[in-house]
Amino acid sequence: MPSVSQLKVKIFADGADKAGMLDMYKNPHVRGFTTNPTLMRKAGVTDYEAAAKDIATAIPDRSISFEVFADDFAEMERQARRITTWGKYVAVKIPITNTKRESALPLVRKLSQEGIALNVTALFTLEQVQGVVDAVKGGAPCFVSVFAGRIADTGIDPVPIMAESVKRLRAAPNTELIWASPRELLNIFQADEIGCQVITVTNDIIKKLLLVGKDQNEYSLETVKMFYEDGKAAGYKL
């Protein structure tokens, strides 16, 4: 297993809480950030544009993705053209479809070929990956977010899908594959091993990077001590 400093995969922090994002901004291993409307809502954001601009101003020199939240493509396009003005390194997240199962690829193609940096999100299948590759080839830089963690949640091993996605993205050098929704620290090393360019990680998982290379016997002892101290503190008796 490589050390954290040897990893080639770029770690992006996934979140919308400003304090948490600024904390991760201090971490040299964090190379970028992603958000989405769900995370914004959980963070208590009520003014989407004001909050996003505030974050983009505080983090001016690393990639950061903000997502459109409309369901019709005309409004998505209007939002995308507004979001892209919020910072030099801002990528506009466009979902692969709307809620009516209508493909967003025509809009993705239009925006990418006009030079707007994108992050096409919520992909689960190789067919979707291929569609994005074909749409953005020759266009602006574009992240392709495949939700490996959610694929794993359905009982399917996402690694073969991610590895094949890496191969397909080679046809569009302006693209980078994102391993989205990871479930554990190990996913960072899996992404690195197959050549995935980016992985989005929550702050909780990023903090576990300190455990990489930890002596397993020492970790076992710490776990035993934790059980003992908690039982003692609870005052349990038999």
Side-chain angles (χ1 to χ4, degrees):
M1 176 182 289
S3 66
V4 176
S5 61
Q6 292 174 320
L7 291 171
K8 294 180 180 177
V9 65
K10 292 180 286 189
I11 297 174
F12 283 13
D14 196 26
D17 171 67
K18 183 182 178 183
M21 295 177 77
L22 292 180
D23 187 36
M24 290 298 106
Y25 186 45
K26 299 173 186 173
N27 187 327
H29 298 303
V30 176
R31 308 270 298 276
F33 295 84
T34 57
T35 66
N36 61 51
T38 300
L39 292 171
M40 287 284 202
R41 185 184 182 198
K42 285 182 178 178
V45 170
T46 54
D47 187 330
Y48 192 91
E49 181 168 1
K53 283 183 174 178
D54 185 36
I55 292 170
T57 300
I59 304 175
D61 54 357
R62 293 186 205 175
S63 176
I64 184 165
S65 295
F66 295 111
E67 187 166 341
V68 299
F69 46 84
D71 201 42
D72 67 273
F73 295 119
E75 177 60 14
M76 272 192 204
E77 179 177 349
R78 188 192 70 79
Q79 292 180 3
R81 293 186 185 283
R82 189 159 177 162
I83 290 172
T84 193
T85 66
W86 293 349
K88 182 177 179 181
Y89 297 101
V90 167
V92 181
K93 291 180 80 173
I94 305 285
I96 187 65
T97 70
N98 63 10
T99 64
K100 303 178 183 68
R101 300 179 185 269
E102 297 168 332
S103 174
L105 288 177
L107 175 61
V108 166
R109 180 179 292 104
K110 180 179 182 180
L111 295 174
S112 179
Q113 299 304 327
E114 288 184 15
I116 294 177
L118 300 177
N119 179 343
V120 186
T121 191
L123 279 72
F124 283 65
T125 71
L126 289 173
E127 181 182 7
Q128 292 174 328
V129 171
Q130 188 61 52
V132 175
V133 168
D134 294 341
V136 306
K137 185 177 182 180
C142 179
F143 296 112
V144 182
S145 293
V146 178
F147 279 56
R150 291 196 174 213
I151 292 172
D153 288 343
T154 68
I156 297 173
D157 181 359
V159 175
I161 296 172
M162 300 305 288
E164 177 62 23
S165 296
V166 169
K167 293 179 183 176
R168 296 195 183 198
L169 261 62
R170 289 176 186 150
N174 56 315
T175 59
E176 290 186 287
L177 181 65
I178 290 183
W179 181 305
S181 70
R183 295 298 189 247
E184 56 188 353
L185 184 72
L186 178 63
N187 297 150
I188 296 176
F189 292 89
Q190 291 174 313
D192 186 69
E193 186 174 359
I194 64 169
C196 185
Q197 290 89 359
V198 179
I199 184 167
T200 58
V201 189
T202 62
N203 291 8
D204 289 342
I205 292 179
I206 290 174
K207 289 176 181 176
K208 290 183 179 178
L209 287 171
L210 296 172
L211 295 174
V212 175
K214 188 177 181 66
D215 181 89
Q216 299 300 295
N217 288 316
E218 185 64 26
Y219 203 14
S220 172
L221 181 60
E222 289 179 12
T223 304
V224 171
K225 288 181 177 178
M226 177 188 71
F227 293 151
Y228 172 73
E229 294 297 336
D230 283 338
K232 183 179 175 182
Y236 293 139
K237 296 183 183 300
L238 289 177

